[in-house]
């Protein structure tokens, strides 16, 4: 079934809040509005001040409304992968219909049966993804509705997360005057949206480098198998530059963007630039190599932590290699550094939508695209999680009949103005025997 309608994605990041309005015509995405506002009230990817976060959301939404010429009523909001857990689930019911024809109600009931499990009080189920159904022993069915059967089974994945994070995000969206149409796990949306079918099947690692945290996700056998979150990101690189060069945070951010490189071997000690130092009236000269070494130290630390986590599950043996994305991945030389540390092929993902060709927009575009891909079976299973009535039609986005609500004035800084270059992908033909049964023990 072709995707159609209007969808709005909301990505609440540490450095900026982004909103994308996309219209789908014959399954073709057309982005008609974008909002990008400086974040407030968010630290390391977690909301710490609800009121400030609400104002940031309102500013981004207002900007997207003005560009798209629509009034936004509901959004699909991304959830971080902090303390996310993935578990397999299985449920079985007897078909109660006298005709034995499987109905929507039967799908909801078997999804409820699959969620019967003990969950700690501080956690809640975020999403339930049906993988396949079995009808009277016949396996591999994606949508059993309309079929005849006596026994219906469902196999799927259950995602659970901390109640605090989920509640705070929903609270901020609702206080901003919006309806939460979907809560989308950002790591899941990323892996589903930016990977090819082969990369999903044979196994690929996606590293999302945000401003406040870095999320590592592993997709294998077309399932999100593993996530790891490190509470370090691009802001920590900027802070290091600020401390070492004794300059303000804003100056350090500008130096990182204009002169920074994560791979010192690509820089020169002869190329210098002025730096305004606190306590001095005249700028001092700093060479590119020195700045690059400061940046490299922090980025390498981030990559080492990700590598340690991936080594524990032998994920670096996967043939798909690593895909980098996120705002902090815009740094020149970061792909070269990643290849040295991880010892596998690494490439940078850049969205191809006109005007949004920067990794900083990958998350919000993935949220929109993932929401548009959700089918009726997912929405029926969602009833088992929320207990709410689900409308499987596209989100309600109406054309502005009157002037859109007016929020406070604001300015949006172009955080990563230069479009990163696509790196060359290294061919890695090495596929070990470990891949065949990779992750076979994760869901034991």
């Amino acid at each position: 079934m072709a995707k159609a309608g209007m969808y709005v994605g909301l990505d609440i990041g540490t450095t900026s809040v982004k909103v994308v309005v996309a219209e789908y015509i014959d399954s073709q995405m057309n982005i008609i509005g974008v909002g990008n506002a400086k974040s407030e009230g968010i630290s390391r990817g977690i909301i710490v001040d609800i009121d400030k976060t609400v104002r940031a959301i309102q500013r981004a939404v207002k900007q997207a409304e003005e560009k798209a010429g629509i009034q936004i009523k509901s959004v699909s909001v991304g959830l971080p992968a902090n303390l996310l857990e993935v578990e397999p689930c299985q449920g079985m019911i007897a078909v109660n219909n006298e005709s034995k024809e499987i109905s929507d109600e039967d799908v909801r009931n078997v999804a409820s049966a699959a969620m019967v499990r003990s969950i700690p009080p501080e956690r809640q189920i975020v999403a339930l993804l049906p993988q396949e159904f079995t009808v009277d022993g016949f396996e591999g069915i994606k949508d059993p509705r309309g079929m005849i059967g006596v026994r219906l089974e469902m196999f799927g994945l259950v995602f659970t997360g901390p109640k605090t994070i989920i509640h705070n995000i929903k609270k901020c969206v609702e206080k901003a005057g919006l309806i939460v149409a979907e809560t989308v796990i950002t790591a899941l949306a990323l892996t589903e949206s930016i990977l090819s079918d082969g990369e999903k099947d044979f196994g690929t690692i996606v590293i999302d480098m945000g401003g406040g945290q870095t999320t590592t996700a592993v997709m294998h056998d077309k399932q999100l198998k593993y996530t790891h979150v490190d509470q370090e990101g691009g802001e920590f690189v900027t802070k290091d530059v600020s401390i070492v060069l004794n300059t303000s945070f804003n100056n350090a951010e500008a130096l990182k963007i204009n002169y920074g490189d994560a791979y010192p071997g690509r820089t020169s000690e002869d190329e210098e630039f002025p730096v305004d130092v606190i306590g001095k009236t005249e700028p001092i000269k700093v060479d590119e190599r020195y700045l690059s070494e400061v940046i490299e130290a922090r980025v390498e630390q981030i990559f080492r932590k990700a590598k340690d986590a991936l080594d524990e599950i032998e994920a670096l043996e996967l043939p798909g290699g690593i895909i980098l994305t996120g705002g902090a991945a815009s740094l020149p030389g970061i792909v070269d550094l990643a290849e040295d540390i991880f010892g596998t092929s690494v490439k940078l993902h850049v969205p191809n939508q006109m005007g949004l060709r920067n990794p900083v927009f990958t998350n919000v575009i993935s949220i929109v695209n993932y929401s548009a891909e959700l089918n009726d079976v997912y929405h029926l299973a969602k009833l088992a999680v929320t207990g709410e009535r689900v409308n499987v039609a596209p989100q309600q986005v109406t054309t502005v009949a009157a002037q859109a609500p007016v929020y406070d004035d604001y300015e949006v800084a172009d955080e990563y103005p230069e479009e990163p270059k696509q790196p060359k992908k290294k061919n890695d033909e090495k596929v070990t025997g470990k891949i065949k049964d990779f992750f076979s023990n994760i869901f034991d």
Side-chain angles (χ1 to χ4, degrees):
M1 182 177 179
K3 298 191 292 288
M6 206 83 81
Y7 294 83
V8 181
L10 171 63
D11 176 34
I12 305 174
T14 302
T15 55
S16 63
V17 174
K18 291 165 284 292
V19 176
V20 161
V21 183
E23 182 180 19
Y24 282 84
I25 301 175
D26 294 331
S27 297
Q28 179 66 41
M29 173 194 282
N30 299 300
I31 294 179
I32 62 175
V34 180
N36 186 7
K38 182 176 174 57
S39 289
E40 292 182 283
I42 303 167
S43 176
R44 300 188 179 189
I46 305 300
I47 295 171
V48 295
D49 189 314
I50 288 179
D51 291 336
K52 287 184 178 180
T53 304
V54 168
R55 289 194 291 270
I57 293 172
Q58 289 174 333
R59 291 195 295 269
V61 167
K62 178 190 174 184
Q63 196 179 58
E65 286 179 332
E66 292 174 346
K67 292 181 179 179
I70 54 95
Q71 182 179 355
I72 297 172
K73 292 185 176 180
S74 62
V75 297
S76 293
V77 60
L79 298 178
N82 300 66
L83 302 178
L84 181 71
E85 292 183 1
V86 190
E87 299 178 29
C89 64
Q90 177 183 356
M92 182 179 67
I93 63 167
V95 180
N96 294 324
N97 195 322
E98 291 184 2
S99 66
K100 300 305 178 184
E101 184 173 300
I102 298 171
S103 64
D104 290 356
E105 187 66 26
D106 293 317
V107 174
R108 288 195 290 266
N109 290 339
V110 75
S112 297
M115 289 196 310
V116 176
R117 61 188 57 239
S118 177
I119 299 176
E122 72 276 6
R123 300 181 66 81
Q124 74 177 69
I125 294 177
V126 180
L128 171 62
L129 298 185
Q131 299 292 308
E132 68 174 30
F133 295 87
T134 299
V135 178
D136 292 345
F138 293 96
E139 303 174 347
I141 299 171
K142 297 301 181 183
D143 187 351
R145 293 176 299 167
M147 298 181 179
I148 296 293
V150 176
R151 187 178 73 254
L152 176 64
E153 294 179 81
M154 190 198 84
F155 300 87
L157 297 176
V158 169
F159 297 83
T160 63
K163 282 185 177 179
T164 301
I165 293 177
I166 299 167
H167 170 80
N168 289 348
I169 289 176
K170 289 184 176 180
K171 184 74 173 179
C172 288
V173 175
E174 291 167 356
K175 286 193 70 174
L178 302 168
I179 298 171
V180 179
E182 293 292 342
T183 52
V184 177
I185 300 168
T186 305
L188 178 61
L190 267 178
T191 52
E192 287 286 355
S193 299
I194 73 175
L195 299 181
S196 66
D197 286 341
E199 289 171 332
K200 294 176 188 177
D201 192 11
F202 287 95
T204 306
I205 301 162
V206 176
I207 300 180
D208 173 27
M209 302 186 69
Q213 61 184 28
T214 298
T215 303
T216 302
V218 179
M219 174 73 84
H220 180 255
D221 197 20
K222 296 186 177 180
Q223 296 178 7
L224 178 64
K225 293 292 184 73
Y226 176 81
T227 61
H228 173 266
V229 177
D230 176 23
Q231 298 295 332
E232 295 180 70
E235 275 197 346
F236 287 78
V237 176
T238 305
K239 288 178 182 177
D240 287 350
V241 174
S242 174
I243 293 171
V244 173
L245 300 184
N246 197 26
T247 188
S248 68
F249 185 87
N250 290 337
N251 286 341
E253 180 70 13
L255 293 172
K256 182 182 75 173
I257 294 171
N258 296 325
Y259 305 103
D261 196 301
Y263 203 70
R266 293 160 35 107
T267 61
S268 170
E269 295 180 350
D270 298 328
E271 295 293 332
E272 295 182 335
F273 48 85
V275 177
D276 293 325
V277 176
I278 296 173
K280 293 187 178 182
T281 56
E282 296 294 330
I284 65 170
K285 292 288 186 178
V286 175
D287 64 80
E288 285 183 348
R289 177 66 59 85
Y290 185 63
L291 175 63
S292 180
E293 289 172 349
V294 175
I295 293 173
E296 179 199 32
R298 175 63 68 172
V299 176
E300 181 176 350
Q301 178 173 304
I302 294 172
F303 284 159
R304 291 290 180 192
K305 290 182 179 179
K307 184 178 186 299
D308 290 343
L310 293 171
D311 283 340
E312 289 182 4
I313 56 173
E314 299 179 341
L316 291 173
E317 299 288 345
L318 293 172
I322 293 174
I323 295 180
L324 291 177
T325 193
S330 299
L331 272 171
I334 201 163
V335 171
D336 296 325
L337 180 60
E339 287 180 338
D340 285 353
I341 293 174
F342 291 106
T344 187
S345 62
V346 180
K347 66 179 180 179
L348 180 68
H349 175 81
V350 180
N352 59 8
Q353 283 76 16
M354 186 173 295
L356 300 179
R357 292 181 178 136
N358 193 301
V360 76
F361 292 106
T362 304
N363 278 352
V364 68
I365 293 173
S366 297
I367 290 168
V368 171
N369 193 58
Y370 181 81
S371 300
E373 294 282 356
L374 295 175
N375 56 28
D376 291 1
V377 172
Y378 166 84
H379 288 288
L380 291 172
K382 180 181 174 183
L383 282 174
V385 179
T386 65
E388 300 172 357
R389 187 176 183 82
V390 176
N391 182 5
V392 298
Q395 300 172 21
Q396 297 299 317
V397 183
T398 58
T399 303
V400 176
Q403 185 176 356
V406 178
Y407 305 109
D408 296 337
D409 293 336
Y410 62 99
E411 295 181 357
V412 179
D414 188 1
E415 190 172 0
Y416 296 96
E418 295 188 2
E419 186 172 321
K421 297 180 180 179
Q422 285 280 11
K424 294 182 179 178
K425 181 177 179 182
K426 292 185 176 180
N427 293 324
D428 187 358
E429 299 293 335
K430 181 181 178 182
V431 181
T432 68
K434 298 178 181 177
I435 296 173
K436 185 176 180 181
D437 57 350
F438 182 75
F439 284 134
S440 61
N441 63 336
I442 277 191
F443 288 161
D444 288 344

